[in-house]
Amino acid sequence: MTPGLISRLQDIPGVESVTVDLVGDAGAINLRVEPDADEKTILSQVQALLVSYGVKGLAQPDIKVGRFSGDLSDLGVDISVVPFEDGARIQVRAGDIGSARQVAATPKAIAQGLADAWCQVSGKAPREVVGVSLGGTRALAVVVSDGRTERRGVADVSTGWANALTYAVGSALGFLDDNGADRARLAPTAW
């Protein structure tokens, strides 16, 4: 099946080369695109091709969230992620500044709402959540982008979904390291 997948990926206009390694947990599909290619169109066609191979579409399942039970008091930030009607309500407060969002009950929507609220109260430019995934080791990964650079945050879901989303988003935004430590005490990042 892999040779057929490679040839179909290479047939997408704008794709320069393709490597596919589907062995093990670290399997990957790597595309090199032509410099002037329309990446959004290419990604859309790749996604449609992968769906035809049986990979799930972009729709993400609803999740049940609970109140964040971690301690971010060292950061001066109070975070609440709670179920609300058919979605979730996210509240972030830093001192006198607060921000709230009501979002759909999908991991990506909750992560984006949390990122938006956290950036707003911290005075940071908003970041786009480009991906939320769950690894085989129960590690929740969140990838955010500022339009040029992508950063990844990871958290263990055994602490609960709300905690994992909070720590993964905080880590991806550069507020926390992967262990939930205050990043203010760490070396400066690109953001």
Side-chain angles (χ1 to χ4, degrees):
M1 177 166 67
T2 303
L5 176 61
I6 292 172
S7 65
R8 286 181 180 91
L9 289 167
Q10 287 174 333
D11 288 343
I12 295 173
V15 172
E16 193 173 284
S17 66
V18 177
T19 58
V20 176
D21 176 13
L22 301 178
V23 179
D25 291 337
I29 297 173
N30 295 303
L31 301 176
R32 181 177 300 269
V33 298
E34 296 169 356
D36 296 334
D38 180 4
E39 290 181 22
K40 186 175 182 179
T41 300
I42 291 172
L43 289 174
S44 174
Q45 291 177 0
V46 168
Q47 191 270 336
L49 179 62
L50 292 176
V51 168
S52 73
Y53 270 82
V55 176
K56 292 182 181 179
L58 293 177
Q60 296 187 25
D62 286 355
I63 63 169
K64 297 200 180 298
V65 296
R67 186 165 299 277
F68 172 71
S69 61
D71 183 16
L72 296 177
S73 59
D74 290 343
L75 295 177
V77 176
D78 179 39
I79 294 174
S80 174
V81 180
V82 294
F84 186 78
E85 294 179 4
D86 290 336
R89 181 165 175 81
I90 297 160
Q91 294 178 295
V92 178
R93 179 163 292 286
D96 293 336
I97 302 170
S99 181
R101 304 279 190 282
Q102 185 173 334
V103 298
T106 65
K108 189 170 181 182
I110 294 170
Q112 185 65 63
L114 182 55
D116 290 345
W118 207 334
C119 286
Q120 183 177 9
V121 300
S122 67
K124 191 177 229 182
R127 306 290 188 235
E128 178 187 3
V129 173
V130 295
V132 176
S133 61
L134 183 61
T137 59
R138 299 196 40 90
L140 178 72
V142 174
V143 179
V144 299
S145 172
D146 66 354
R148 290 172 290 157
T149 306
E150 289 185 351
R151 290 181 53 139
R152 183 173 180 247
V154 180
D156 185 350
V157 296
S158 66
T159 62
W161 282 105
N163 287 2
L165 280 166
T166 299
Y167 281 118
V169 169
S171 177
L173 291 173
F175 294 118
L176 307 171
D177 71 7
D178 286 338
N179 296 319
D182 183 347
R183 202 174 265 285
R185 296 187 192 108
L186 303 176
T189 65
W191 293 352

